Amino acid sequence: MSGFVFSEKPIGIDRGEDVYLYAKNGTEYLDFGASYACAPVGHCHPEVVEATTEQVERLMYVQASYPNAARTALYDQLADLAPGDIDNVWLCNSGTEANEAALKFSRHATGRSKIVATMQGFHGRTMGSLATTWKQKYKDGFGPLAGDVEFVPYGDADEMREAVDEETAAVVLEPVQGEGGVNPASSAYLQAVREATDEAGAAMILDEIQTGLGRTGSLWAADAHGVVPDVLTTAKGLGSGLPIGATLVKDWIAEDCGNHGSTFSGGPVATAAAGATLDVLTREGLPGHAAAIGEYLVGELESALGHAVREVRGEGLMVGVEVKRGANPILRDLAMDHQVLALPAGRSVVRLLPPLTVEREHVDAVVDALEDVIA
Ligand SMILES: *Cc1c(COP(=O)(O)O)cnc(C)c1O
């Protein structure tokens, strides 16, 4: 029996260690998708395993209305690491829930309903987040979704300025679109979004669920662009694979956020895993490492693949290779012939999101494999 939603691949995975996943028969796979970017410090990092195991033995769950050291420590850590004057933390269990909360808080605090989102954007699959997601395929047959969403072309500051008005509760966007094809935004564009939302009294929600936690070369992509949003969302790698998301919020929204809640909000096991993940990330300077090794990766890809692909683009260790034919056959050959796992982003982009612990030798192996499959 297998699940009915995901189409499974013919590779059973049994065990993980740092940048590798292993099948039961011992076959070793280089995980250059980090399993949907969920292993920023590598699979089963010993420090994360230890903190999580210790917490499982102590207490697996207590409701969020009783203070607990693992949860309180994560509130402090995230508030401390969040950009600028973002000081309030809401914890949940996934990326889509983090965005769902961001949308609810922004509507409540502004007393407005209109949301501006971007074409090719991806924000999750629950009804509210799905309404702000662009691709029709994800929405077919599920309507009506939460209404009052206007889509604007990503990267066009004039269109953004025109769409954001006195009725706008929030703009939601990614600093680099992930699912949409690995499309980075410029600092000028993100700053224009910041100005337009400030002028209109609307919230700027930056979805850093894929770009955050060092992936693009700074702890948050916002840091590198000199932008402090009103709300920043994170999830994916936050708990090194345990389900946890966070909505980081400025005071003016936190003070008037309305009624919200979740049974598992800040459960001690997930918060212990997240705390240890952030400790390793910051102590080992992994965002800076991602910047350096990402630059090496893009350089090597460009010189190896050259005219065989349309474009190599990205920031840090969030890299897209736009190929001239479908990405899926390439991903299959990479996995079956070279034991390299990566992700698609749409039909024609091979997406690389390795653990931030990868070294040049791993990059070289992946570039060789891609050269063999593509060129
Ligand atoms: C993955 C992702 C989400 C959704 O996260 P889930 O945990 O799958 O709900 C939202 N936004 C972005 C940018 C993502 O990459």
Side-chain angles (χ1 to χ4, degrees):
M1 185 60 193
S2 59
F4 71 95
V5 171
F6 280 97
S7 62
E8 292 184 353
K9 305 193 180 348
I11 298 170
I13 297 298
D14 179 55
R15 190 171 71 77
E17 192 180 329
D18 195 17
V19 299
Y20 294 104
L21 290 171
Y22 296 88
K24 206 146 200 142
N25 66 10
T27 308
E28 180 181 88
Y29 295 92
L30 190 46
D31 188 10
F32 254 58
S35 295
Y36 294 141
C38 285
V41 301
H43 289 284
C44 294
H45 190 286
E47 214 171 303
V48 178
V49 171
E50 193 190 325
T52 308
T53 308
E54 201 265 341
Q55 185 60 52
V56 166
E57 286 169 353
R58 178 183 301 275
L59 178 66
M60 289 176 71
Y61 175 70
V62 61
Q63 67 195 70
S65 41
Y66 298 118
N68 169 267
R71 186 189 312 115
T72 307
L74 186 63
Y75 285 152
D76 290 345
Q77 210 171 3
L78 281 171
D80 189 42
L81 295 173
D85 53 343
I86 300 179
D87 285 331
N88 307 278
V89 179
W90 158 253
L91 295 174
C92 55
N93 316 289
S94 65
T96 195
E97 279 175 88
N99 285 333
E100 203 75 33
L103 297 169
K104 284 177 73 178
F105 296 163
S106 301
R107 277 191 171 171
H108 197 277
T110 59
R112 308 170 182 178
S113 66
K114 179 174 146 186
I115 307 289
V116 177
T118 63
M119 295 176 185
Q120 278 77 49
F122 181 87
H123 302 294
R125 296 173 184 263
T126 52
M127 288 294 190
S129 304
L130 187 58
T132 65
T133 288
W134 168 251
K135 209 193 240 179
Q136 194 53 43
K137 186 179 88 174
Y138 297 146
K139 303 193 263 195
D140 275 344
F142 295 131
L145 304 173
D148 218 356
V149 179
E150 181 178 339
F151 288 93
V152 293
Y154 187 70
D156 187 327
D158 289 334
E159 293 268 4
M160 181 62 79
R161 274 189 282 265
E162 206 155 301
V164 178
D165 58 24
E166 311 280 293
E167 268 138 48
T168 307
V171 172
V172 59
L173 80 171
E174 301 149 272
V176 182
Q177 290 184 326
E179 296 290 322
V182 189
N183 311 313
S186 67
S187 296
Y189 177 63
L190 293 172
Q191 284 161 13
V193 176
R194 180 64 284 183
E195 274 164 34
T197 44
D198 273 340
E199 256 169 52
M204 177 177 178
I205 303 171
L206 206 57
D207 178 344
E208 293 236 28
I209 290 164
Q210 198 162 141
T211 54
L213 303 170
R215 175 139 312 274
T216 60
S218 47
L219 186 64
W220 312 109
D223 297 337
H225 292 295
V227 168
V228 180
D230 300 290
V231 183
L232 184 152
T233 53
T234 175
K236 287 211 157 80
L238 182 58
S240 281
L242 289 197
I244 185 166
T247 309
L248 312 179
V249 181
K250 276 189 183 168
D251 288 344
W252 73 270
I253 292 179
E255 281 157 10
D256 187 16
C257 67
N259 189 310
H260 191 58
S262 164
T263 298
F264 291 126
S265 172
V269 179
T271 49
T277 302
L278 289 171
D279 282 344
V280 174
L281 256 174
T282 49
R283 188 189 63 230
E284 297 188 354
L286 290 178
H289 180 69
I293 205 93
E295 203 177 302
Y296 177 71
L297 170 61
V298 168
E300 293 299 291
L301 285 170
E302 275 169 349
S303 58
L305 299 176
H307 297 294
V309 298
R310 283 191 210 286
E311 195 184 14
V312 178
R313 57 178 180 261
E315 272 172 26
L317 284 173
M318 181 167 179
V319 174
V321 180
E322 188 168 344
V323 293
K324 292 181 177 171
R325 54 193 174 100
N328 276 324
I330 291 172
L331 291 166
R332 191 190 51 224
D333 290 351
L334 273 180
M336 302 312 283
D337 301 343
H338 297 274
Q339 290 74 50
V340 169
L341 308 182
L343 297 165
R347 209 164 315 181
S348 61
V349 176
V350 172
R351 184 170 35 150
L352 305 175
L353 305 169
L356 309 188
T357 53
V358 287
E359 299 292 351
R360 284 180 176 224
E361 66 195 85
H362 308 120
V363 167
D364 293 342
V366 168
V367 173
D368 284 350
L370 270 167
E371 191 176 10
D372 185 66
V373 170
I374 292 175

